[in-house]
Amino acid sequence: MKLTSEIKNEHGTSVLTILSDPFFLFPAMLKATNVEKIDNKYKVEIPIKGVFYLPFNLITYVTRYTSINSVNYVVNIADFAEHRWGNIKIDVEDKKMKLDLDIPLPLDFINSKILGKRIKEFEKNFNELIRVERIKRKI
């Protein structure tokens, strides 16, 4: 699954503090049901419910790297056949945010449509989600 998009950002660079928190980002963007920290990595469970197959959880292990204007998540998807490595990169500027997603998914055609809808919903509600989270965290 490859996706690149720009999102209008009304919150400036302070949004990077919130987006560098996996406990916020993955439930908000990919509807993850469980995020837990294991050493310096995060285990993220993303429920996938397809039309023609049984629901399952996509288990990913994520390592986070942050810099001044960006956050990069290196994603390892645990699969029976092979480990799949991907990347989620978020670059934040004053008035826009660039989201670059490159994750090889099992059953890519179906799963990318399911996760793509979730990401589009996240993009649509981005400023409101960040506004509410800034109020919670008093940023």
Side-chain angles (χ1 to χ4, degrees):
M1 172 181 187
K2 292 185 181 188
L3 179 105
T4 302
S5 64
E6 280 192 12
I7 303 170
K8 183 180 174 187
N9 177 16
E10 299 173 354
H11 303 281
T13 55
S14 64
V15 75
L16 195 61
T17 305
I18 296 169
L19 294 176
S20 63
D21 180 9
F23 295 100
F24 168 80
L25 181 69
F26 290 103
M29 184 169 69
L30 298 175
K31 307 291 186 234
T33 55
N34 187 21
V35 178
E36 61 184 78
K37 186 171 183 173
I38 302 172
D39 297 329
N40 62 347
K41 294 185 179 187
Y42 297 90
K43 179 181 176 187
V44 180
E45 295 181 24
I46 303 167
I48 303 287
K49 295 178 184 168
V51 178
F52 298 112
Y53 58 93
L54 297 174
F56 69 97
N57 282 345
L58 187 66
I59 307 293
T60 61
Y61 295 94
V62 178
T63 306
R64 177 187 62 191
Y65 300 99
T66 58
S67 66
I68 295 172
N69 290 333
S70 67
V71 61
N72 189 19
Y73 292 98
V74 177
V75 179
N76 179 7
I77 297 175
D79 195 1
F80 296 113
E82 62 184 87
H83 287 281
R84 301 167 188 260
W85 291 91
N87 194 10
I88 300 173
K89 185 173 183 182
I90 301 170
D91 292 317
V92 176
E93 294 178 15
D94 192 32
K95 297 289 181 188
K96 64 181 176 179
M97 179 188 85
K98 183 179 178 187
L99 175 66
D100 189 17
L101 203 107
D102 184 10
I103 303 173
L105 297 170
L107 299 170
D108 190 44
F109 179 74
I110 298 169
N111 291 333
S112 63
K113 287 197 179 287
I114 294 168
L115 294 180
K117 287 179 184 176
R118 293 178 186 179
I119 292 169
K120 292 297 179 194
E121 183 181 326
F122 173 74
E123 291 174 1
K124 187 175 89 174
N125 300 327
F126 174 75
N127 285 306
E128 180 63 19
L129 288 169
I130 297 298
R131 186 186 72 78
V132 169
E133 193 67 20
R134 287 183 71 186
I135 292 169
K136 284 181 190 175
R137 296 181 186 207
K138 298 177 183 172
I139 296 177

